[in-house]
Amino acid sequence: METFDLDVLRSFVFGIELGSFAKAADRLGRSTSAVSAQLKRLEDQAVLPILRKSGRGLLLTPTGEILFSYAKRLLELNDEATEAVSGAALKGCVRIGLQEDFGEQLLTETLGSFARAHPRVQIETTVARSAQLLEFVSGGHLDLALAWDAGNRTPHSRVVANLPMCWIGRADSDVHANNEPQPLVAFDTPCLMRGAAIKALDKARIPWRVAFTSSSLSGIWAAVSAGLGITVRTSVGLPKQLSVLDGLPSLPRIGLVLHRADSHPAPHVKQLETILLERLENLLSAG
């Protein structure tokens, strides 16, 4: 039975993801000829061809697609094991805050991955709205916070994503029902997305009314699911029973900002930040 070399698999995966094995060689600090030799060895082990020519580039064969899928899983396990071994000695406590939009999927995946890699680090989490998260970071009660960009920045913050705001409602929502005021479901004020919804409707001269307010996102989703009105959010964490709606005024994009309490955080805080951003990238690319 063949045993695949992880270094060879990493060159293979990087080459496919970067769209160029020359770029993969540069990223890995190897010569192009060395990567080519690795690919030849990998193809010999696979027995069947794993790449085919397409114009000036290369594409995966069916065998290559299978190998690519397994290679990514093997490398993820290897990297996770490396993190776990190197991070096993880390101790301490890290405090992280997120918007409710990211509380279910992103937070679950981030904490699970971090806990496996750093079992001796205690994690404290806070799910809250943007203004409160910034207060907690500024007051020294959070090490990291992921919050919508309201224009207020902490000293050590950076934009990590810029997402389109969307009109959201039930798939059967009639957004032009008899010219009646558009029923809105929104957070209590102040709320960036509530403000964006009202501004867009006013600009388009569409009448509106606030049909339901809530202090929690779960309350917003419940009201929209019940047909009480439509709301504005991003598509992140969108419940399956709801849809992005067309036929309404365009909305702006909204920034997502990562706030850090310190410019040079402790190693365990930096590790959590790295995992958080990796999981965020995966979540947004999947959406």
Side-chain angles (χ1 to χ4, degrees):
M1 181 177 293
E2 294 285 354
T3 300
F4 291 108
D5 186 317
L6 289 177
D7 284 338
V8 175
L9 292 179
R10 196 176 297 279
S11 296
F12 172 56
V13 168
F14 270 32
I16 298 300
E17 291 183 338
L18 295 173
S20 165
F21 287 99
K23 291 181 180 178
D26 184 60
R27 173 76 67 87
L28 295 167
R30 298 191 178 103
S31 66
T32 304
S33 59
V35 170
S36 296
Q38 286 183 319
L39 293 175
K40 178 64 170 61
R41 176 183 171 190
L42 187 59
E43 197 158 63
D44 289 343
Q45 285 185 294
V47 181
L48 296 173
I50 60 174
L51 296 166
R52 62 180 178 84
K53 288 186 178 180
S54 177
R56 295 185 178 181
L58 294 171
L59 296 177
L60 291 170
T61 65
T63 300
E65 289 177 354
I66 294 171
L67 182 59
F68 180 66
S69 176
Y70 277 103
K72 288 199 298 182
R73 289 166 59 187
L74 287 168
L75 290 171
E76 286 172 0
L77 283 171
N78 176 78
D79 294 346
E80 188 174 307
T82 300
E83 285 183 4
V85 171
S86 62
L90 286 179
K91 296 180 181 179
C93 176
V94 59
R95 303 159 302 172
I96 182 173
L98 294 93
Q99 298 274 165
E100 199 172 352
D101 307 67
F102 301 93
E104 185 174 343
Q105 186 174 351
L106 179 62
L107 185 59
T108 300
E109 293 181 359
T110 299
L111 297 186
S113 181
F114 183 83
R116 290 191 296 272
H118 309 290
R120 303 176 72 183
V121 177
Q122 179 183 347
I123 308 170
E124 296 179 3
T125 61
T126 298
V127 176
R129 294 173 64 179
S130 298
Q132 189 173 21
L133 291 174
L134 266 63
E135 287 179 9
F136 287 163
V137 171
S138 299
H141 303 296
L142 286 176
D143 300 301
L144 297 170
L146 195 63
W148 298 121
D149 187 4
N152 302 322
R153 300 291 181 80
T154 53
H156 314 297
S157 62
R158 62 188 175 102
V159 177
V160 294
N162 201 281
L163 307 176
M165 286 190 267
C166 311
W167 295 101
I168 293 170
R170 298 197 329 189
D172 61 358
S173 297
D174 185 356
V175 296
H176 303 294
N178 300 319
N179 292 319
E180 292 293 322
Q182 193 65 247
L184 297 180
V185 173
F187 273 111
D188 303 324
T189 56
C191 172
L192 291 170
M193 298 188 195
R194 173 177 174 153
I198 292 172
K199 184 176 181 180
L201 292 173
D202 284 344
K203 184 176 181 181
R205 297 186 177 181
I206 297 174
W208 54 270
R209 64 182 177 87
V210 176
F212 182 93
T213 61
S214 175
S215 59
S216 72
L217 184 58
S218 58
I220 297 291
W221 293 144
V224 176
S225 298
L228 298 186
I230 61 175
T231 193
V232 167
R233 302 301 296 171
T234 70
S235 60
V236 174
L238 182 64
K240 294 180 180 179
Q241 71 273 18
L242 298 178
S243 304
V244 173
L245 303 176
D246 296 320
L248 287 161
S250 61
L251 293 162
R253 302 177 74 89
I254 186 168
L256 185 62
V257 180
L258 179 69
H259 300 267
R260 290 196 315 202
D262 299 307
S263 58
H264 299 289
H268 54 282
V269 175
K270 186 61 179 175
Q271 283 292 322
L272 181 58
E273 177 185 338
T274 299
I275 293 174
L276 174 68
L277 294 179
E278 287 175 352
R279 295 297 180 268
L280 175 63
E281 183 178 359
N282 292 341
L283 175 63
L284 297 182
S285 62

